[in-house]
Amino acid sequence: MSQISDMSGEEAERLLIFLANDTLAGEERAAVEAAVEADDRLAAELAALRTMRHKLQDEEASHSPGEFGLARLMRDIDAETTMAVTHVGGKRSGASSFWKIAAVVLLGLFSAQSAFVYLKGEQDGTDVQLASGDPAVSTERPTLRLDFDPDATVSEIASLLLETELTIVDGPSAIGFYTLEALDEAGYAQALEILQSRPDLVDIVE
Amino acid sequence: MQVRSGALRMPHQKLQNADLAQLLKRIAAGDKQAFALFYNALEKPVYRFIASKMNDPHESADIQHDVFMEIWHVAGRFEGRSTVKTWVFGIAYRKTMDHFRKHKRVDLTDEVEERVDDSPDAVACLAASQEGAHLKQCLGELKPQMRSAVELAFFEDLTYPEIAEIAGVPEGTIKTRVYHAKKLLLRCLSARMQGTQA
């Protein structure tokens, strides 16, 4: 940091935010404090900046991916390690996609944008599991099964699900397939058309 | 929905720089448990830093994922010339700005429109800054690089040399960015407060 004993008003103003966050020290701090003391406008701005800082630190709740993001990272790291060791040709398993889909579902919990992603397991008193477990939902609505491309990103999958208005009701299976439900036959047909137009993201099974 | 990561589940921990640097050494040697601890210590601030500029939780999660994957790959390159936090935020900053360059039409220059009215009503600003909605709106109107500088100063309480290192620009550039950001913020808050009162 520069040490300035006789600081100009403009230089003091340039450093005002750093007085507000309490990171200035030594002569530099003393010079900015002196400039603030001599100028009511700077003093008022400093008060506003300090209020802003407190307000932001108090209010900004971070809905981060948390443990789920870590699990996704570990899956990708494991997948990299496996690929590096075995050099298996062809497509990877659906495991990587699982974490991406699960991330979409988790993020949907706090995102109004993807609020349509809901799981109906509670209706019959059964916990729905995305991990390979018992299918939790029995439905008479039209369903389809698909596998997401392992290179598809979370945002690409989320956008696609929003567009198709499908709901994940089960998956992944042992080979990585998901079961998705449409509201009705018309929705099914429309979703199928959209999904078939994105072979880069999905492989439709049925 | 149940998703379990078993042994990977770690409590959130606040670690000092020396602890984080030690973890990076272990990560460089392929220690996944160290990586989990490192992630738990920094994922929230990193995500907040990214998400505040993206306004899209899915894109933010993808960028955060890329940041930590890069950390996994390049942990051995950390030389200790900066704090670990600065190093990590530098990666997050670069990836976020890359995303803006590739996918969003955003002006990433440091040019600021000059205005005649240069002295907003500080009392009105003080009142408006207590309203979270006004503050969020005004922060959102800043250019990403200005917003980053203000957020690193206010959320992470970083010094301007640290912010300059993260952004990869001279210290004077950061001083100028926060100076203009402050003016734009105060002007925006003042205008919103006057609009409320009108």
Side-chain angles (χ1 to χ4, degrees):
Chain A
M1 290 191 203
S2 57
Q3 299 295 306
I4 305 163
S5 54
D6 187 17
M7 186 177 283
S8 70
E10 188 177 325
E11 181 65 10
E13 205 169 340
R14 274 152 53 93
L15 292 173
L16 205 56
I17 279 184
F18 300 102
L19 186 60
N21 79 354
D22 205 24
T23 59
L24 290 182
E27 285 183 36
E28 201 168 42
R29 182 186 183 92
V32 179
E33 284 175 338
V36 168
E37 204 164 315
D39 187 333
D40 289 344
R41 183 181 60 83
L42 280 186
E45 286 189 6
L46 178 63
L49 291 171
R50 282 180 169 151
T51 305
M52 268 184 230
R53 174 174 165 269
H54 287 304
K55 195 73 191 170
L56 285 172
Q57 290 192 343
D58 286 348
E59 284 201 351
E60 195 80 9
S62 181
H63 302 290
S64 62
E67 187 186 348
F68 210 90
L70 177 60
R72 181 185 168 199
L73 284 162
M74 290 301 182
R75 278 309 247 209
D76 280 6
I77 288 168
D78 286 344
E80 277 186 359
T81 308
T82 305
M83 285 176 71
V85 171
T86 61
H87 294 286
V88 175
K91 212 173 176 184
R92 281 178 278 164
S93 77
S96 177
S97 293
F98 161 65
W99 293 109
K100 290 176 183 172
I101 305 307
V104 170
V105 174
L106 186 75
L107 288 165
L109 294 176
F110 54 81
S111 167
Q113 188 183 13
S114 53
F116 79 96
V117 179
Y118 65 98
L119 299 169
K120 304 196 326 180
E122 291 180 3
Q123 289 180 358
D124 58 7
T126 310
D127 281 339
V128 177
Q129 292 190 335
L130 276 183
S132 307
D134 296 334
V137 178
S138 167
T139 175
E140 292 178 1
R141 290 177 175 173
T143 61
L144 51 84
R145 297 174 70 221
L146 56 82
D147 178 21
F148 287 95
D149 188 281
D151 293 327
T153 66
V154 170
S155 53
E156 285 172 334
I157 293 170
S159 299
L160 191 65
L161 292 180
L162 277 169
E163 193 182 352
T164 56
E165 297 187 359
L166 292 169
T167 303
I168 300 171
V169 293
D170 189 34
S173 67
I175 51 173
F177 292 132
Y178 290 84
T179 303
L180 288 89
E181 179 187 86
L183 289 173
D184 50 33
E185 288 297 338
Y188 173 85
Q190 190 178 3
L192 199 60
E193 193 176 332
I194 294 170
L195 292 169
Q196 281 172 334
S197 71
R198 296 305 304 269
D200 55 322
L201 297 180
V202 295
D203 293 327
I204 300 169
V205 177
E206 57 187 36
Chain B
M1 182 173 68
Q2 294 176 353
V3 179
R4 297 188 179 90
S5 53
L8 301 178
R9 189 169 192 158
M10 306 275 179
H12 177 71
Q13 297 186 29
K14 190 132 188 166
L15 300 175
Q16 300 300 314
N17 187 58
D19 301 321
L20 292 170
Q22 194 58 38
L23 286 177
L24 276 180
K25 281 186 186 169
R26 288 171 53 194
I27 293 168
D31 184 336
K32 285 194 271 190
Q33 194 171 23
F35 183 67
L37 284 168
F38 191 88
Y39 172 88
N40 279 324
L42 290 177
E43 70 101 10
K44 277 187 188 302
V46 167
Y47 182 79
R48 180 173 61 186
F49 177 69
I50 297 165
S52 64
K53 281 165 280 300
M54 301 305 300
N55 292 321
D56 182 323
H58 306 301
E59 285 182 342
S60 303
D62 280 340
I63 294 174
Q64 189 210 42
H65 179 80
D66 289 348
V67 169
F68 279 95
M69 282 304 288
E70 180 161 332
I71 290 168
W72 171 255
H73 290 132
V74 303
R77 292 190 207 157
F78 177 71
E79 296 173 342
R81 288 187 293 187
S82 64
T83 66
V84 173
K85 204 169 169 182
T86 302
W87 184 72
V88 170
F89 274 103
I91 296 171
Y93 180 88
R94 180 166 44 78
K95 290 202 175 285
T96 305
M97 292 302 151
D98 283 349
H99 186 89
F100 273 109
R101 283 187 196 97
K102 284 179 192 165
H103 303 291
K104 299 186 189 291
R105 291 182 178 177
V106 178
D107 179 8
L108 294 176
T109 68
D110 278 311
E111 289 170 13
V112 178
E113 186 186 346
E114 290 295 334
R115 299 200 188 176
V116 178
D117 175 19
D118 218 19
S119 300
D121 179 350
V123 177
C125 293
L126 181 56
S129 62
Q130 292 167 355
E131 297 292 332
H134 288 326
L135 193 49
K136 217 165 187 175
Q137 178 69 35
C138 291
L139 268 173
E141 290 179 10
L142 296 178
K143 290 181 179 182
Q145 69 275 34
M146 282 188 191
R147 187 170 179 169
S148 291
V150 171
E151 286 168 347
L152 289 168
F154 279 170
F155 282 131
E156 305 305 324
D157 286 340
L158 297 182
T159 65
Y160 64 80
E162 286 174 322
I163 298 172
E165 187 168 342
I166 286 167
V169 297
E171 292 176 6
T173 303
I174 292 303
K175 288 188 204 172
T176 303
R177 279 182 189 173
V178 295
Y179 169 76
H180 288 305
K182 171 182 73 75
K183 276 191 175 298
L184 292 169
L185 265 179
L186 294 179
R187 187 185 294 137
C188 172
L189 287 168
S190 179
R192 288 182 72 84
M193 204 59 196
Q194 284 161 7
T196 305
Q197 289 166 346

